[in-house]
Amino acid sequence: MAEKLTNKLKILNDPIYGFITIPNALIYDLIEHPYFQRLRRVSQMGLSYLVYPGATHTRFHHAIGSMYLMQNAIRILRFKGVEISNEEENAVYIAILLHDIGHGPFSHALEKSIVTGVTHESISLKFMVALNTEFKGKLSLAITIFKDEYHRKFLHQLIASQLDMDRLDYLKRDSFYTGVAEGNINSERILTMLNVKDDTLMVEEKGIYSVEKFIVARRLMYWQAYLHKAGLGAEKLMEKVLIRAKELTLKGVKLPASKAFNYFLKNQISEDNFTNETLKIFSRLDDYDVFLSIKEWISNDDFILSTLSENLINRKLPKVKIQNEPLSLDYINSVKEKVKSNLNLNNNEVDYFVYSGEIFNQAYDSTKNNIQILYKNGTIKDITAASDHLNIQALSKPVYKYYFCYPKK
């Protein structure tokens, strides 16, 4: 019986951009692969929906949107005479589609608690290599460009730079789903102003104001969304839950968890022992595993794990103070003493409920992959030198702030 042919030239309806066309059968097959479908079950903004109820979009949305922007960027660059072969075109589509495939559930909290020895960028590359084997070498050029080992550097800049398709999509998408209007950018205008000179991605001078808006929007999104104090408190609470769960598991306590989640609770994962088998297990780990386990841990005998789990599930977030200077050690210790007394904790246990740290926001880093403005006369300037917006130079410097978390009661 003849195998039924599948129509692989599908069209997706995206709330940001409208209709998105899947460009070819290979891209379709990659999207349909279980490794990529997992991204439907991984939130793009982690626990930010506890602050902005609409922020429930996934990394699947973001990956598809980034590919759409890449399609537009390639079309525009070709229109301006930049030669891009069909093989290069397909490779950058694949690379941007898979650039975030290594993110785990609640990615940043997971990287600081359970999978501490490997970054999501490294795992993304491992997924690409595994898929390249499965697809008989068809991802080889995409991997070379992703690793910035290809001789045409602007192709990598489209994937990973300070004005790449990743940032253009997540700012516009996260702004839309959170309702934080200050983060909305004119990605269409920026794409239209892209050009290439000396093998480097640049923005034509008419696009300078859109780039300024992009940098300012990025700064505002970090303070208002990504580093919002309630969202930060939720992420740190998740970290503490996972750290406690791993600590108990390593001591021999059996906690209810899926097979995939249990594997990472039981094992210390590093770059050296992250095998292909580990990758397969990781590919089955998503938000559902973590939340189902945390719901079960509410009834655990361990007071710390059960209390933290209940606080997270029922949104009893810690009190969070964010300020320009660190709080005094005397003040922090006084709060710890009160919490120790109220919850009957020892010196080690109180650190699960009272903790502090540092955050920083750098909207633009002029020291690497800088955004260059191309003038009609051929002059090239960094955006900080080209802009008459005084804030742009200020935004290129990192701003550090200090947080302090403790129970509200």
Side-chain angles (χ1 to χ4, degrees):
M1 188 174 178
E3 183 180 348
K4 184 179 179 182
L5 294 177
T6 303
N7 175 19
K8 297 183 178 182
L9 300 179
K10 300 288 187 182
I11 296 175
L12 304 177
N13 194 352
D14 182 77
I16 310 294
Y17 309 120
F19 293 113
I20 297 176
T21 302
I22 297 176
N24 57 57
L26 176 58
I27 298 291
Y28 174 89
D29 289 337
L30 288 170
I31 291 172
E32 286 291 284
H33 196 282
Y35 288 173
F36 191 81
Q37 287 294 311
R38 180 185 71 92
L39 298 182
R40 291 183 184 270
R41 306 185 301 277
V42 178
S43 172
Q44 171 69 13
M45 292 185 67
L47 294 164
S48 291
Y49 69 89
L50 294 175
V51 181
Y52 299 104
T56 55
H57 56 302
T58 67
R59 295 199 179 274
F60 181 92
H61 293 122
H62 166 59
I64 297 292
S66 298
M67 183 193 70
Y68 169 80
L69 293 181
M70 185 67 80
Q71 289 174 288
N72 285 350
I74 295 300
R75 175 179 53 80
I76 289 164
L77 291 176
R78 279 177 168 167
F79 178 77
K80 294 181 179 180
V82 180
E83 292 187 8
I84 300 170
S85 70
N86 291 337
E87 291 76 15
E88 290 169 336
E89 174 190 9
N90 205 42
V92 292
Y93 291 166
I94 293 169
I96 195 64
L97 185 73
L98 303 179
H99 77 282
D100 269 353
I101 198 171
H103 272 290
F106 312 103
S107 182
H108 302 295
L110 195 83
E111 288 181 8
K112 295 176 182 177
S113 56
I114 302 295
V115 190
T116 56
V118 192
T119 65
H120 70 266
E121 292 91 351
S122 175
I123 299 174
S124 290
L125 185 57
K126 294 177 192 297
F127 271 123
M128 289 187 196
V129 171
L131 287 167
N132 195 37
T133 300
E134 187 172 335
F135 284 86
K136 303 186 185 328
K138 293 180 180 177
L139 280 69
S140 296
L141 181 56
I143 292 171
T144 301
I145 293 173
F146 182 80
K147 294 166 65 177
D148 198 16
E149 295 175 354
Y150 192 58
H151 65 281
R152 307 192 75 190
K153 298 300 182 183
F154 76 91
L155 294 173
H156 175 78
Q157 290 175 314
L158 287 168
I159 298 158
S161 66
Q162 294 199 75
L163 195 65
D164 55 32
M165 302 308 106
D166 171 36
R167 292 186 182 188
L168 288 179
D169 180 79
Y170 79 63
L171 280 176
K172 195 171 186 69
R173 189 168 300 276
D174 296 349
S175 168
F176 176 85
Y177 280 97
T178 58
V180 179
E182 290 82 359
N184 192 18
I185 59 170
N186 192 345
S187 56
E188 295 85 357
R189 173 74 174 171
I190 293 173
L191 288 177
T192 304
M193 293 297 109
L194 290 181
N195 211 329
V196 173
K197 183 178 181 182
D198 299 331
D199 197 42
T200 301
L201 190 68
M202 299 186 183
V203 179
E204 294 168 355
E205 63 176 302
K206 288 185 292 184
I208 190 169
Y209 303 118
S210 297
V211 174
E212 290 176 348
K213 171 69 163 57
F214 164 82
I215 294 172
V216 172
R218 192 162 183 265
R219 175 184 181 274
L220 295 176
M221 277 298 287
Y222 266 85
W223 288 136
Q224 289 187 236
Y226 309 131
L227 296 174
H228 185 286
K229 68 176 185 177
L232 178 67
E235 181 178 309
K236 296 302 172 184
L237 178 56
M238 170 70 86
E239 280 181 32
K240 296 298 182 181
V241 171
L242 297 178
I243 290 170
R244 183 60 173 180
K246 182 144 191 164
E247 180 186 4
L248 292 173
T249 302
L250 293 177
K251 288 180 179 179
V253 177
K254 291 185 177 180
L255 298 176
S258 67
K259 287 184 179 179
F261 192 20
N262 191 52
Y263 174 86
F264 289 98
L265 288 172
K266 286 169 59 178
N267 295 283
Q268 298 285 14
I269 304 300
S270 67
E271 190 71 48
D272 295 333
N273 66 6
F274 203 104
T275 63
N276 286 334
E277 184 59 31
T278 306
L279 187 68
K280 289 179 182 178
I281 297 170
F282 186 87
S283 74
R284 298 194 294 270
L285 186 66
D286 55 48
D287 290 9
Y288 299 176
D289 297 79
V290 176
F291 256 118
L292 180 61
S293 297
I294 293 175
K295 283 173 66 180
E296 290 295 316
W297 296 344
I298 291 175
S299 58
N300 193 269
D301 292 337
D302 181 76
F303 171 77
I304 295 173
L305 182 64
S306 64
T307 303
L308 294 176
S309 298
E310 182 182 8
N311 288 349
L312 184 60
I313 293 296
N314 293 321
R315 202 188 178 277
K316 297 177 181 177
L317 304 180
K319 180 76 173 177
V320 181
K321 287 186 176 182
I322 295 181
Q323 52 188 52
N324 296 329
E325 300 294 334
L327 286 157
S328 71
L329 193 59
D330 288 342
Y331 178 77
I332 292 174
N333 287 335
S334 69
V335 173
K336 282 187 174 183
E337 289 301 319
K338 288 180 183 177
V339 174
K340 279 169 59 179
S341 176
N342 291 341
L343 300 180
N344 194 26
L345 303 170
N346 62 35
N347 288 333
N348 293 325
E349 293 170 341
V350 74
D351 289 336
Y352 280 103
F353 295 89
V354 183
Y355 38 91
S356 58
E358 182 182 80
I359 55 175
F360 81 97
N361 184 354
Q362 186 173 17
Y364 176 68
D365 186 352
S366 59
T367 64
K368 61 180 182 180
N369 288 319
N370 53 332
I371 300 173
Q372 298 194 34
I373 304 300
L374 175 63
Y375 290 84
K376 289 180 181 178
N377 63 6
T379 303
I380 299 167
K381 289 184 180 180
D382 180 271
I383 182 63
T384 55
S387 174
D388 57 7
H389 197 312
L390 296 177
N391 280 343
I392 298 301
Q393 286 192 343
L395 295 179
S396 67
K397 298 175 182 177
V399 176
Y400 291 90
K401 293 191 178 184
Y402 304 86
Y403 67 85
F404 180 53
C405 302
Y406 56 95
K408 289 181 179 177
K409 291 184 180 180

